[in-house]
């Protein structure tokens, strides 16, 4: 169970800030703001790119649909054709994704970016 979010109930518009970068890299991460809905294990929502780093996979895109699911502490989110797989721990989500043939690590924390 996330802080204020039951994965077996219905909760709407939970804000998350997500960052992702190549595995074993110190590069500036790509960053986005997500608003997720949880409906008895089904996840839906929206993603907006807020990165200052150029040329990201979602560069300058707003309101991209997010879909996925959550079960037994595992989470899977799909944004466009990219699948982010990981785990849930309190207010945190984290895991990995393959983007353009590279493995990326990602973390998302409940909260809003300034101005979002």
């Amino acid at each position: 169970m996330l802080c204020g979010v039951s994965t077996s109930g219905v909760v709407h518009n939970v804000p998350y800030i997500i960052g992702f970068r190549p595995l074993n890299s110190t590069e500036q991460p790509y960053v986005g703001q997500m608003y997720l809905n949880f409906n008895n294990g089904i996840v839906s929502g929206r993603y907006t790119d807020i990165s200052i780093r150029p040329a990201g996979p979602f560069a300058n895109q707003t309101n991209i649909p997010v879909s996925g699911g959550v079960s037994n502490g595992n989470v899977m989110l799909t944004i466009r054709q990219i699948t982010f797989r990981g785990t849930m721990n309190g207010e945190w989500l984290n895991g990995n994704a393959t983007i353009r043939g590279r493995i990326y690590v990602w973390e998302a924390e409940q909260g809003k970016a300034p101005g979002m």
Side-chain angles (χ1 to χ4, degrees), residues 49-68:
D49 178 66
I50 58 173
S51 293
I52 58 171
R53 181 177 174 191
F58 312 116
N60 302 315
Q61 299 295 306
T62 60
N63 290 315
I64 301 170
V66 177
S67 61

Side-chain angles (χ1 to χ4, degrees), residues 3-65:
C3 181
V5 177
S6 170
T7 59
S8 62
V10 177
V11 182
H12 295 286
N13 292 322
V14 181
Y16 286 91
I17 299 170
I18 182 173
F20 52 99
R21 73 169 134 224
L23 180 66
N24 298 322
S25 167
T26 59
E27 295 176 22
Q28 174 91 17
Y30 296 112
V31 181
Q33 176 73 62
M34 296 187 297
Y35 287 90
L36 300 180
N37 304 305
F38 297 86
N39 186 350
N40 297 305
I42 298 170
V43 179
S44 63
R46 295 281 177 193
Y47 174 97
T48 295
D49 178 66
I50 58 173
S51 293
I52 58 171
R53 181 177 174 191
F58 312 116
N60 302 315
Q61 299 295 306
T62 60
N63 290 315
I64 301 170

